[in-house]
Amino acid sequence: MVGKAVVRAMAEQKLKVLAVAGSLKEASVTRVVIHHAAELMRQAGCAVDILDLKTEPLPLFSPDDTRKLPFFPLLQERVHRADVLLLGTPDYHGGMSAALKNFLDHFWLEFAGKLFATVVASHEKGLTATEQIRTVARQCYAWTLPYGLSFDEKSDVAEGRIVSESLLKRADMLARDARVYGEVLARQRRADLTRTDNCFMARHRG
């Protein structure tokens, strides 16, 4: 019989994913693909938490006031728990959505040592939007996958589901790589937080 302490330790070691749907559109193709990728990771054994900024809107970040608001500690805990952040956004004028940027603005130290994986709805490959998210990751000492998942919002998703075989395959690849490399980084992050040698995670030790 497995003891409670063992079960708790196993739960703590399970890769934790925070999937953020950064579109405020009612019938959002970004949301469809984020949910699909998140479900693939859940089926592979990850603990998945989905933050939909349409149904859980955040106030505009204010450095003076936001951290004092009642919602902030709960959201901060969700970000703290995550090992991987699966970030979805439409491509707006070559950049990420205001909703996703606002979410990212709320945090900094909480992202350090974690993995960002990007999903971008775009008819122009989403390269600049993906690069914006990578810039945020670098500034916050986070890691990113060396590629992002982009798709055409007009041809790859229809009636609330993915209709492109190519996108299904690429989503499967993203979910697999985010899980595998997320686990590697999560193990190293936990080790670095308990060691005493010099590394970039040293500033985050308690």
Side-chain angles (χ1 to χ4, degrees):
M1 186 171 181
V2 179
K4 290 182 179 179
V6 174
V7 172
R8 186 165 55 249
M10 290 171 64
E12 289 173 353
Q13 295 303 307
K14 181 180 286 190
L15 189 74
K16 299 173 182 64
V17 179
L18 179 61
V20 182
S23 172
L24 303 186
K25 188 175 181 180
E26 191 69 39
S28 166
V29 294
T30 302
R31 186 177 300 113
V32 170
V33 178
I34 279 287
H35 275 263
H36 178 79
E39 180 58 27
L40 290 174
M41 297 188 77
R42 181 182 287 113
Q43 291 174 7
C46 302
V48 178
D49 178 13
I50 296 179
L51 173 63
D52 189 331
L53 297 176
K54 171 68 174 177
T55 57
E56 297 184 71
L58 301 179
L60 190 63
F61 176 69
S62 166
D64 295 324
D65 303 317
T66 296
R67 294 183 181 91
K68 303 172 187 175
L69 296 176
F71 83 91
F72 185 78
L74 297 176
L75 180 60
Q76 185 181 42
E77 178 56 29
R78 292 169 75 178
V79 176
H80 265 307
R81 284 197 302 265
D83 300 305
V84 173
L85 287 107
L86 181 61
L87 302 173
T89 180
D91 181 339
Y92 288 158
H93 306 309
M96 74 179 89
S97 69
L100 183 62
K101 180 59 166 63
N102 184 49
F103 162 75
L104 294 170
D105 286 346
H106 279 66
F107 303 102
W108 173 46
L109 298 176
E110 294 85 352
F111 295 144
K114 300 181 179 183
L115 180 66
F116 282 22
T118 61
V119 173
V120 179
S122 173
H123 61 279
E124 293 183 344
K125 299 185 178 180
L127 296 177
T128 50
T130 298
E131 193 56 38
Q132 278 192 350
I133 298 171
R134 286 177 175 162
T135 297
V136 172
R138 286 194 298 269
Q139 290 295 109
C140 297
Y141 292 89
W143 303 88
T144 59
L145 286 180
Y147 65 90
L149 176 63
S150 67
F151 63 96
D152 190 314
E153 65 269 33
K154 294 182 179 180
S155 63
D156 290 333
V157 178
E159 299 180 352
R161 64 185 184 89
I162 298 175
V163 296
S164 163
E165 286 298 322
S166 174
L167 178 55
L168 287 170
K169 290 179 181 178
R170 288 182 286 122
D172 183 69
M173 181 175 73
L174 180 88
R176 182 269 182 196
D177 288 346
R179 176 178 57 83
V180 170
Y181 293 102
E183 288 173 347
V184 172
L185 290 170
R187 284 196 300 271
Q188 190 60 53
R189 184 175 185 275
R190 288 193 294 267
D192 286 346
L193 288 173
T194 59
R195 295 165 62 164
T196 58
D197 57 341
N198 185 28
C199 65
F200 89 98
M201 287 302 300
R203 69 172 67 185
H204 300 282
R205 293 169 182 158

